[in-house]
Amino acid sequence: MLETETTTRRERRIAARKAQLLDAAAQVFSHKGYEKATTKEIAELADVSEGTLFNYFATKRELLIGVAKAYADEVAADIESVQGETFEDMLAQLAANRFRRGRERRLFMLFLYESRLNADVHQYYVEEALHRIIDVLEQRLTALIDAGVMRPVDPALTARMMSATTMGFAALFELGVSMGTTSPETLGAAVTDIHLNGLRNQNGANQDV
Amino acid sequence: MLETETTTRRERRIAARKAQLLDAAAQVFSHKGYEKATTKEIAELADVSEGTLFNYFATKRELLIGVAKAYADEVAADIESVQGETFEDMLAQLAANRFRRGRERRLFMLFLYESRLNADVHQYYVEEALHRIIDVLEQRLTALIDAGVMRPVDPALTARMMSATTMGFAALFELGVSMGTTSPETLGAAVTDIHLNGLRNQNGANQDV
Amino acid sequence: MLETETTTRRERRIAARKAQLLDAAAQVFSHKGYEKATTKEIAELADVSEGTLFNYFATKRELLIGVAKAYADEVAADIESVQGETFEDMLAQLAANRFRRGRERRLFMLFLYESRLNADVHQYYVEEALHRIIDVLEQRLTALIDAGVMRPVDPALTARMMSATTMGFAALFELGVSMGTTSPETLGAAVTDIHLNGLRNQNGANQDV
Amino acid sequence: MLETETTTRRERRIAARKAQLLDAAAQVFSHKGYEKATTKEIAELADVSEGTLFNYFATKRELLIGVAKAYADEVAADIESVQGETFEDMLAQLAANRFRRGRERRLFMLFLYESRLNADVHQYYVEEALHRIIDVLEQRLTALIDAGVMRPVDPALTARMMSATTMGFAALFELGVSMGTTSPETLGAAVTDIHLNGLRNQNGANQDV
DNA sequence: AATGAATGAGACTTCATTCAT
DNA sequence: TATGAATGAAGTCTCATTCAT
């Protein structure tokens, strides 16, 4: 029906505007930090007036929450798409999508910081993104342990450890800590190697480190 | 001599004031973030007037730099004190001192964020604190690899991985991600176990994960 | 077209606001001096909020520069309009427009002082206002000397002397130094008389003073 | 008596301190302007603590008044010393002492500005310095007119005109308006020449300018 | 629905003045 | 008497938010 179509078209336009504003907000927030970012700059980057921005998002904070929500949605979609992969590929894919691009790393740094200061951001980033990733890792680990492929370690803790390592690397990268000439692939492989096989020299097993 | 004593007393008083202000600043910055923290609140917490604060630190930013510098000094002292320990104990000690107490974890989150936005903070946190820790780990790893105790992995990368894991755990903790009932000690032991021995079940070695 | 009209109307409104603020600023600056003037008082006199003031002038200093620029524009227009007058009339007109009204005298005192402390004010007041007046006087004097109407004095120096005298009178007036019952016209005539004919009694020429 | 001597010595010490502070204040005030000058900087330049400064002058404004008073005293002494000179020499001497040195010109600019804003400064600068100079010029002019050496111009107005010209030149100088290669002496001679003999070419007298 | 000028609360910072030592 | 740390009032400027057009 015409009415429905009109409404739909409007809704599409509204959604597009919101997305455009969220994009600009994500960019400015992740570069300058939430507090230093100004609604003026976000509006300019989105090529709308400041008044228009506030027609779509009632407060600056709602913009941040919107960015967090969009991020959580991306993560959810990503998790869906890796369900069929091997554990190693899944791990690589999740990490890559989260941290390979600068934009994602910067958003990660942003949420890492803002989650502590805002309950809504925490809700979207920690509960709906981070926890989902951890949960899917934990399930896979449990299965691998049950199958006898992995040692009977605590799967919850191990999933968190894997996330922690990846997050830590992203942070180090973002802080400008050099990784030598190592490519992301080599780095991923090396980390996986250590996680799977350990550091200990098996020829000289049980030596005290 | 009297002159010396007087000077010393004054210098002591000034140093004490500075420390008192840095303490207050560390507290407020780490709870609210640099931008949301106000000099008013810091001054109140330090129990001095706002004017007095600016007698000791010319700008709010200098206060942040002061906090970062104090942190770097603590880390340097800490590194000195762990030189005699075994690798495992050293690792545990460095991690614990950096992340066991909430105060330290919050400062870590603060610097993690602000290092990207301020060159001085980067200087103190990344170069004078983080890099020192990584370097000392790298040296130890190199020695252990040379001694044949560990496999010939890349020591630079492995040192970064260990730091990354610890940092990631601190972040997860700070984000309120539950670690189950695991105590810090158990957690440390489990992580060390995986790092040393790997996840792979040796009985079924070379199975695809 | 509507677009053009709308733009023009907005631009007119903005120009009007700026003028209104510059007017208020000129008034407050010239009465209290730049440093003692507050943006609060200027905004109140212009009947806008302090925030609005800063939408039009980024800093208090820019407001001062704006006032100086407006003054220089007035002088430039004034110089255009006196090109056709006789030397005497031109002199009287330039002096009158600069110093007859209290507002102009106070602005003169303001720029006299602030030109030394601010390069932009110097640019507008000294270079674009004062120098123009001196130059036009100098040109006229040169012509009159060439025509044999005036003695072959140094025209550059004489132009400066005439300006100096006028400026000095304005200052004396502003300092409240009484000129007796002398009207501005009488004063102007007397000064011109002395400048043209000198003080020396020609009947007793060459007497030592 | 010992008592008297002690008192006298203290008074001398106090007077010396005051002079030292006034000197520093004159320097800072005349360079930065009264408002931009800080008591801290004045104290440092006088090589005493800020607290000590306030032991000798209750407020910053009293310092300014003190500087003005000292200036008026200098002028008074100067006037005494030129009583025996010829009119021309007297004129030259008074002008030179007031404006030849940068320090004096800057103080002149300071008082010119601050006299309008502070009654005490006005009292000392305008009434006790400027007026005295004008008065002595006026008396001399009256005598010269009575003696028939000068034309019967209004002596009050003429004295003000001479002061105005000198003040105006000082201001021009301070504003950086170039006087060509003219030395102060040449300039003084040229001005005196015009004042005495006028600009008009006597060969072509009564021509319209 | 879009605009952007207006607002005003609140931030950082300065500095004359006070006062305990 | 000299000191300089402490004070707090007041100033400039920023920016999220509102609102008339």
Side-chain angles (χ1 to χ4, degrees):
Chain A
M1 276 164 62
L2 188 64
E3 176 101 324
T4 308
E5 275 179 21
T6 307
T7 307
T8 302
R9 190 176 300 155
R10 177 190 297 169
E11 280 172 358
R12 272 204 305 267
R13 214 182 48 220
I14 289 177
R17 249 313 135 81
K18 279 197 160 192
Q20 168 191 13
L21 281 161
L22 287 176
D23 234 50
Q27 202 164 322
V28 179
F29 284 156
S30 63
H31 274 100
K32 304 215 162 168
Y34 174 73
E35 295 293 342
K36 289 290 277 184
T38 65
T39 50
K40 187 172 189 291
E41 187 178 358
I42 293 168
E44 274 169 10
L45 189 63
D47 206 38
V48 298
S49 75
E50 222 174 333
T52 298
L53 185 157
F54 279 94
N55 285 340
Y56 290 89
F57 296 90
T59 64
K60 185 186 174 188
R61 196 143 281 275
E62 287 216 350
L63 264 175
L64 178 64
I65 294 168
V67 173
K69 185 166 159 42
Y71 185 87
D73 289 347
E74 276 180 49
V75 168
D78 202 34
I79 285 174
E80 288 303 311
S81 79
V82 297
Q83 294 292 8
E85 315 272 352
T86 65
F87 182 64
E88 223 170 320
D89 284 349
M90 183 181 77
L91 206 60
Q93 193 108 13
L94 287 177
N97 287 350
R98 227 47 63 224
F99 302 116
R100 184 110 64 197
R101 280 180 297 170
R103 176 185 184 273
E104 319 303 334
R105 272 200 315 272
R106 281 191 295 272
L107 282 175
F108 158 68
M109 298 296 279
L110 175 69
F111 296 137
L112 201 56
Y113 192 74
E114 294 296 336
S115 289
R116 288 168 55 232
L117 307 177
N118 180 273
D120 291 298
V121 176
H122 191 277
Q123 169 69 27
Y124 287 113
Y125 179 63
V126 179
E127 263 131 283
E128 301 196 11
L130 192 50
H131 263 304
R132 284 199 199 194
I133 293 176
I134 290 173
D135 287 350
V136 85
L137 290 179
E138 192 173 335
Q139 286 160 23
R140 285 297 188 95
L141 282 167
T142 304
L144 289 166
I145 291 163
D146 287 351
V149 177
M150 285 191 179
R151 294 195 290 131
V153 293
D154 178 341
L157 196 150
T158 308
R160 280 153 181 77
M161 175 180 168
M162 288 176 148
S163 291
T165 305
T166 317
M167 289 164 66
F169 264 121
L172 286 180
F173 205 94
E174 201 60 17
L175 291 181
V177 172
S178 85
M179 299 291 161
T181 53
T182 320
S183 72
E185 286 73 22
T186 320
L187 192 150
V191 170
T192 308
D193 173 44
I194 293 172
H195 274 156
L196 289 180
N197 303 313
L199 293 168
R200 197 190 300 280
N201 193 335
Q202 298 301 330
N203 301 335
N206 297 323
Q207 283 186 30
D208 199 3
V209 295
Chain B
M1 274 166 64
L2 190 61
E3 176 111 318
T4 308
E5 275 180 21
T6 307
T7 306
T8 301
R9 188 176 302 155
R10 177 181 301 159
E11 281 169 0
R12 271 202 305 267
R13 219 182 44 217
I14 290 177
R17 245 319 129 81
K18 275 201 156 188
Q20 167 192 12
L21 281 162
L22 285 176
D23 236 50
Q27 202 164 322
V28 179
F29 285 155
S30 63
H31 275 100
K32 303 216 162 169
Y34 174 73
E35 295 293 342
K36 286 292 276 183
T38 67
T39 51
K40 186 172 188 289
E41 187 177 0
I42 294 168
E44 274 168 10
L45 188 62
D47 206 38
V48 298
S49 76
E50 221 173 332
T52 297
L53 184 157
F54 282 95
N55 284 344
Y56 289 88
F57 296 90
T59 62
K60 184 187 175 189
R61 193 145 285 272
E62 286 220 346
L63 215 35
L64 177 64
I65 294 168
V67 173
K69 186 167 158 43
Y71 184 88
D73 288 346
E74 276 178 48
V75 168
D78 202 34
I79 286 175
E80 288 301 310
S81 80
V82 297
Q83 296 290 9
E85 314 271 351
T86 64
F87 182 64
E88 222 169 321
D89 283 350
M90 183 182 77
L91 206 61
Q93 193 108 12
L94 287 178
N97 287 350
R98 225 48 62 223
F99 302 117
R100 184 112 65 198
R101 280 179 297 169
R103 176 187 183 274
E104 319 304 336
R105 272 201 314 273
R106 281 190 295 273
L107 282 176
F108 157 69
M109 298 296 278
L110 174 70
F111 296 137
L112 200 57
Y113 192 73
E114 294 296 336
S115 289
R116 288 169 55 233
L117 307 177
N118 181 275
D120 291 298
V121 175
H122 191 278
Q123 168 69 26
Y124 286 114
Y125 179 62
V126 179
E127 262 130 286
E128 301 196 10
L130 191 49
H131 263 303
R132 283 199 200 195
I133 293 176
I134 291 173
D135 287 349
V136 85
L137 291 178
E138 193 174 334
Q139 287 160 23
R140 286 297 188 96
L141 283 166
T142 304
L144 289 166
I145 291 163
D146 288 349
V149 177
M150 286 191 178
R151 292 197 290 133
V153 293
D154 178 342
L157 196 151
T158 308
R160 280 153 181 76
M161 175 179 168
M162 287 176 148
S163 292
T165 305
T166 316
M167 288 164 66
F169 265 121
L172 287 179
F173 205 95
E174 200 59 18
L175 291 181
V177 172
S178 82
M179 299 292 160
T181 52
T182 320
S183 73
E185 286 73 21
T186 318
L187 192 151
V191 170
T192 309
D193 172 44
I194 294 172
H195 274 157
L196 288 180
N197 303 314
L199 292 167
R200 198 189 302 277
N201 193 335
Q202 298 300 330
N203 301 336
N206 296 323
Q207 285 186 31
D208 198 4
V209 294
Chain C
M1 274 166 65
L2 190 62
E3 176 110 320
T4 308
E5 275 179 21
T6 307
T7 306
T8 302
R9 190 176 301 154
R10 177 182 301 158
E11 279 169 0
R12 271 202 305 267
R13 220 183 43 217
I14 289 177
R17 244 321 129 80
K18 275 200 155 189
Q20 167 192 13
L21 281 161
L22 286 176
D23 236 50
Q27 202 163 322
V28 179
F29 285 155
S30 63
H31 274 99
K32 304 216 161 168
Y34 175 73
E35 295 294 342
K36 286 291 276 185
T38 66
T39 50
K40 185 173 188 289
E41 187 176 359
I42 294 168
E44 273 168 11
L45 188 62
D47 206 38
V48 297
S49 76
E50 220 173 333
T52 297
L53 185 157
F54 282 97
N55 283 343
Y56 290 88
F57 295 91
T59 63
K60 184 187 174 189
R61 195 145 282 273
E62 286 220 347
L63 216 33
L64 177 64
I65 294 168
V67 173
K69 186 167 158 42
Y71 184 88
D73 289 346
E74 276 179 48
V75 169
D78 202 33
I79 286 174
E80 288 302 310
S81 79
V82 297
Q83 294 291 10
E85 315 271 353
T86 66
F87 182 65
E88 222 168 321
D89 284 350
M90 184 182 77
L91 207 59
Q93 194 110 11
L94 287 178
N97 287 350
R98 226 48 61 226
F99 302 117
R100 184 113 63 198
R101 280 178 296 170
R103 175 186 184 274
E104 320 303 336
R105 271 201 315 273
R106 282 190 295 272
L107 282 176
F108 158 69
M109 297 296 278
L110 174 70
F111 297 138
L112 201 57
Y113 192 73
E114 293 296 336
S115 288
R116 288 169 56 232
L117 307 177
N118 179 276
D120 290 297
V121 175
H122 191 277
Q123 169 69 27
Y124 286 114
Y125 180 63
V126 179
E127 262 131 286
E128 301 198 10
L130 192 49
H131 263 303
R132 283 200 199 194
I133 293 175
I134 290 173
D135 287 350
V136 86
L137 290 178
E138 193 173 334
Q139 286 161 23
R140 286 297 189 94
L141 283 167
T142 304
L144 289 167
I145 291 163
D146 287 349
V149 178
M150 285 191 178
R151 292 196 291 134
V153 292
D154 178 343
L157 197 150
T158 308
R160 281 153 180 76
M161 175 179 167
M162 288 176 148
S163 292
T165 306
T166 317
M167 289 164 68
F169 265 121
L172 287 179
F173 205 95
E174 201 59 16
L175 291 181
V177 171
S178 84
M179 298 293 160
T181 52
T182 320
S183 73
E185 285 73 21
T186 318
L187 193 150
V191 170
T192 308
D193 173 43
I194 293 172
H195 274 157
L196 288 180
N197 304 313
L199 292 168
R200 197 189 302 278
N201 194 336
Q202 297 299 331
N203 301 335
N206 297 324
Q207 285 187 32
D208 198 4
V209 294
Chain D
M1 275 164 63
L2 189 64
E3 176 101 321
T4 309
E5 274 179 22
T6 308
T7 307
T8 302
R9 191 175 300 155
R10 176 191 296 169
E11 281 171 356
R12 271 202 306 267
R13 215 182 47 220
I14 290 177
R17 250 312 135 83
K18 279 197 159 191
Q20 168 192 14
L21 281 162
L22 287 175
D23 235 49
Q27 203 164 323
V28 180
F29 285 156
S30 63
H31 274 100
K32 305 214 161 169
Y34 174 73
E35 295 293 340
K36 289 289 277 183
T38 65
T39 51
K40 187 172 189 291
E41 187 177 359
I42 293 168
E44 274 168 11
L45 189 63
D47 208 37
V48 299
S49 75
E50 223 173 332
T52 298
L53 185 157
F54 279 93
N55 285 340
Y56 290 89
F57 295 90
T59 64
K60 185 186 174 189
R61 194 143 284 273
E62 287 216 350
L63 263 175
L64 178 63
I65 294 167
V67 173
K69 186 165 157 43
Y71 185 87
D73 290 346
E74 276 179 49
V75 169
D78 202 35
I79 285 174
E80 288 302 311
S81 80
V82 296
Q83 295 292 8
E85 314 272 352
T86 66
F87 182 64
E88 222 169 322
D89 284 350
M90 183 182 77
L91 208 59
Q93 194 106 14
L94 287 178
N97 288 350
R98 228 46 63 225
F99 302 117
R100 184 111 65 197
R101 281 179 297 169
R103 176 188 184 271
E104 319 303 334
R105 272 201 314 274
R106 282 190 294 272
L107 282 176
F108 157 68
M109 297 296 279
L110 175 69
F111 296 137
L112 201 57
Y113 193 74
E114 293 296 337
S115 289
R116 289 168 55 233
L117 307 177
N118 181 273
D120 290 298
V121 175
H122 191 279
Q123 169 69 28
Y124 286 113
Y125 180 64
V126 179
E127 262 131 285
E128 301 197 9
L130 192 50
H131 263 305
R132 282 199 201 194
I133 292 175
I134 290 173
D135 287 350
V136 86
L137 289 179
E138 192 173 335
Q139 287 160 24
R140 285 297 189 95
L141 282 167
T142 304
L144 288 166
I145 291 162
D146 288 351
V149 177
M150 285 191 179
R151 293 195 291 132
V153 293
D154 178 342
L157 196 150
T158 308
R160 281 153 180 75
M161 175 178 168
M162 288 177 147
S163 292
T165 305
T166 317
M167 289 164 67
F169 265 120
L172 287 180
F173 205 94
E174 201 59 17
L175 292 181
V177 172
S178 84
M179 298 294 160
T181 53
T182 320
S183 71
E185 286 73 23
T186 320
L187 193 150
V191 170
T192 307
D193 172 45
I194 293 172
H195 274 157
L196 288 180
N197 303 314
L199 293 167
R200 198 189 301 280
N201 193 336
Q202 298 300 330
N203 301 336
N206 296 323
Q207 283 186 31
D208 198 5
V209 293

